[in-house]
Coordinates of all heavy atoms in Angstrom, one line a residue:
D9 N 6.8 7.4 -3.0 CA 6.4 8.3 -1.9 C 6.9 7.7 -0.6 O 6.9 6.5 -0.4 CB 4.9 8.5 -1.8 CG 4.3 9.4 -2.9 OD1 5.1 10.2 -3.5 OD2 3.1 9.4 -3.1
I10 N 7.3 8.6 0.4 CA 7.6 8.2 1.7 C 6.3 8.2 2.5 O 5.6 9.2 2.5 CB 8.7 9.1 2.3 CG1 9.9 9.2 1.4 CG2 9.0 8.7 3.7 CD1 10.6 7.9 1.2
V11 N 6.1 7.1 3.3 CA 4.8 7.0 4.0 C 5.0 6.5 5.4 O 6.0 5.9 5.7 CB 3.8 6.1 3.3 CG1 3.4 6.7 1.9 CG2 4.4 4.7 3.1
R12 N 4.0 6.7 6.2 CA 3.9 6.1 7.6 C 2.7 5.1 7.5 O 1.7 5.4 6.9 CB 3.5 7.2 8.6 CG 3.5 6.7 10.0 CD 3.1 7.7 11.0 NE 1.7 7.9 10.9 CZ 1.1 9.1 11.1 NH1 1.7 10.2 11.3 NH2 -0.3 9.2 11.0
V13 N 3.0 3.9 8.1 CA 2.0 2.9 8.1 C 1.6 2.7 9.6 O 2.4 2.3 10.4 CB 2.5 1.6 7.6 CG1 1.4 0.5 7.6 CG2 3.1 1.8 6.1
D14 N 0.3 2.9 9.9 CA -0.2 2.8 11.3 C -0.8 1.4 11.4 O -1.9 1.1 10.9 CB -1.2 3.9 11.6 CG -0.6 5.3 11.6 OD1 0.5 5.4 12.1 OD2 -1.2 6.2 11.0
L15 N -0.1 0.5 12.1 CA -0.6 -0.8 12.4 C -1.0 -0.9 13.8 O -0.6 -0.1 14.6 CB 0.6 -1.8 12.1 CG 1.1 -1.8 10.7 CD1 2.3 -2.7 10.6 CD2 0.0 -2.3 9.7
P16 N -1.8 -2.0 14.2 CA -2.3 -2.1 15.5 C -1.1 -2.2 16.5 O -1.2 -1.8 17.7 CB -3.1 -3.4 15.5 CG -3.5 -3.6 14.1 CD -2.4 -3.0 13.3
D17 N 0.0 -2.9 16.1 CA 1.1 -3.2 17.0 C 2.4 -2.4 16.8 O 3.4 -2.5 17.5 CB 1.4 -4.7 17.0 CG 1.7 -5.2 15.6 OD1 1.4 -4.5 14.7 OD2 2.3 -6.3 15.5
A18 N 2.4 -1.5 15.7 CA 3.6 -0.8 15.4 C 3.2 0.3 14.4 O 2.2 0.3 13.8 CB 4.6 -1.7 14.7
T19 N 4.2 1.3 14.3 CA 4.1 2.3 13.3 C 5.4 2.1 12.4 O 6.5 2.1 13.0 CB 4.1 3.7 13.9 OG1 2.9 3.8 14.7 CG2 4.1 4.8 12.8
L20 N 5.2 2.0 11.1 CA 6.4 1.7 10.2 C 6.5 2.9 9.3 O 5.5 3.6 9.0 CB 6.1 0.5 9.4 CG 5.9 -0.8 10.2 CD1 5.5 -1.9 9.2 CD2 7.1 -1.2 11.0
Y21 N 7.7 3.2 8.9 CA 8.0 4.2 7.9 C 8.7 3.5 6.7 O 9.6 2.7 6.9 CB 8.9 5.3 8.5 CG 8.2 6.1 9.6 CD1 8.3 5.6 10.9 CD2 7.5 7.2 9.3 CE1 7.6 6.3 11.9 CE2 6.8 7.9 10.3 CZ 6.9 7.4 11.6 OH 6.3 8.1 12.6
G22 N 8.3 3.9 5.5 CA 8.9 3.3 4.3 C 8.6 4.0 3.0 O 8.0 5.1 3.0
T23 N 8.9 3.3 1.9 CA 8.7 3.9 0.6 C 7.6 3.0 -0.1 O 7.6 1.8 -0.1 CB 10.0 3.8 -0.2 OG1 11.0 4.5 0.5 CG2 9.9 4.4 -1.6
V24 N 6.7 3.7 -0.8 CA 5.7 3.0 -1.6 C 6.4 2.3 -2.7 O 7.1 2.9 -3.5 CB 4.6 4.0 -2.1 CG1 3.7 3.3 -3.1 CG2 3.9 4.7 -1.0
W25 N 6.1 1.0 -2.8 CA 6.7 0.2 -3.9 C 5.7 -0.2 -5.0 O 6.1 -0.3 -6.1 CB 7.3 -1.1 -3.2 CG 8.6 -1.6 -3.8 CD1 8.8 -2.8 -4.3 CD2 9.8 -0.9 -3.9 NE1 10.1 -2.9 -4.7 CE2 10.7 -1.7 -4.5 CE3 10.2 0.4 -3.5 CZ2 12.0 -1.3 -4.7 CZ3 11.5 0.8 -3.8 CH2 12.4 -0.1 -4.4
Q26 N 4.5 -0.5 -4.6 CA 3.4 -0.8 -5.6 C 2.1 -0.2 -5.0 O 1.9 -0.1 -3.8 CB 3.2 -2.3 -5.8 CG 4.4 -3.0 -6.4 CD 4.0 -4.4 -6.7 OE1 2.9 -4.7 -7.3 NE2 4.9 -5.3 -6.3
V27 N 1.2 0.2 -6.0 CA 0.0 0.8 -5.6 C -1.1 0.0 -6.3 O -1.1 -0.1 -7.5 CB -0.1 2.3 -6.0 CG1 -1.5 2.9 -5.7 CG2 1.0 3.1 -5.4
R28 N -2.1 -0.5 -5.5 CA -3.3 -1.2 -6.0 C -4.5 -0.4 -5.5 O -4.4 0.5 -4.7 CB -3.3 -2.6 -5.5 CG -2.1 -3.4 -5.8 CD -2.2 -3.8 -7.3 NE -0.9 -4.3 -7.8 CZ -0.6 -5.6 -7.8 NH1 -1.3 -6.5 -7.3 NH2 0.6 -5.9 -8.3
S29 N -5.6 -0.7 -6.0 CA -6.8 0.0 -5.6 C -7.2 -0.1 -4.1 O -7.6 0.9 -3.5 CB -8.0 -0.4 -6.4 OG -8.3 -1.8 -6.2
D30 N -6.9 -1.2 -3.5 CA -7.3 -1.4 -2.1 C -6.1 -1.5 -1.1 O -6.3 -1.6 0.1 CB -8.2 -2.6 -2.0 CG -7.5 -3.9 -2.4 OD1 -6.5 -3.8 -3.2 OD2 -7.9 -5.0 -2.0
R31 N -4.9 -1.7 -1.7 CA -3.7 -1.9 -0.8 C -2.5 -1.3 -1.4 O -2.4 -1.1 -2.6 CB -3.6 -3.4 -0.4 CG -3.4 -4.2 -1.7 CD -3.5 -5.7 -1.3 NE -3.3 -6.5 -2.5 CZ -2.7 -7.6 -2.6 NH1 -2.1 -8.1 -1.5 NH2 -2.6 -8.2 -3.7
I32 N -1.5 -1.2 -0.6 CA -0.2 -0.6 -1.0 C 0.9 -1.5 -0.5 O 0.9 -2.0 0.6 CB 0.0 0.8 -0.3 CG1 -1.2 1.7 -0.6 CG2 1.3 1.5 -0.7 CD1 -1.4 2.1 -2.0
Q33 N 1.9 -1.7 -1.4 CA 3.1 -2.4 -0.9 C 4.2 -1.4 -0.5 O 4.5 -0.5 -1.3 CB 3.7 -3.3 -2.0 CG 4.8 -4.2 -1.5 CD 5.2 -5.2 -2.6 OE1 5.4 -4.8 -3.7 NE2 5.4 -6.4 -2.2
V34 N 4.7 -1.5 0.7 CA 5.6 -0.6 1.3 C 6.9 -1.3 1.6 O 6.9 -2.4 2.1 CB 5.1 0.0 2.6 CG1 6.0 1.0 3.2 CG2 3.7 0.7 2.4
R35 N 8.0 -0.6 1.2 CA 9.4 -1.2 1.4 C 10.1 -0.4 2.5 O 10.1 0.8 2.5 CB 10.2 -1.1 0.1 CG 11.6 -1.7 0.2 CD 12.2 -1.5 -1.2 NE 13.5 -2.1 -1.2 CZ 14.6 -1.4 -1.3 NH1 14.6 -0.1 -1.3 NH2 15.8 -2.0 -1.3
G36 N 10.7 -1.2 3.5 CA 11.4 -0.5 4.6 C 12.8 0.0 4.1 O 13.3 -0.4 3.0
S37 N 13.4 0.8 4.9 CA 14.7 1.4 4.6 C 15.7 0.3 4.3 O 15.8 -0.7 5.1 CB 15.1 2.2 5.8 OG 16.4 2.7 5.6
G38 N 16.4 0.5 3.2 CA 17.4 -0.5 2.8 C 16.9 -1.9 2.4 O 17.6 -2.8 2.2
G39 N 15.6 -1.9 2.2 CA 14.9 -3.2 1.8 C 14.8 -4.2 2.9 O 14.7 -5.4 2.6
T40 N 14.9 -3.8 4.1 CA 14.8 -4.7 5.3 C 13.5 -5.4 5.4 O 13.5 -6.5 6.0 CB 15.1 -3.9 6.6 OG1 14.2 -2.8 6.7 CG2 16.6 -3.4 6.6

Side-chain angles (χ1 to χ4, degrees):
D9 281 346
I10 305 300
V11 295
R12 183 182 79 214
V13 182
D14 296 317
L15 300 173
D17 57 343
T19 300
L20 305 174
Y21 296 87
T23 304
V24 173
W25 216 239
Q26 291 187 51
V27 178
R28 301 285 164 92
S29 61
D30 62 338
R31 59 191 178 139
I32 308 295
Q33 189 176 45
V34 180
R35 180 177 183 253
S37 177
T40 54

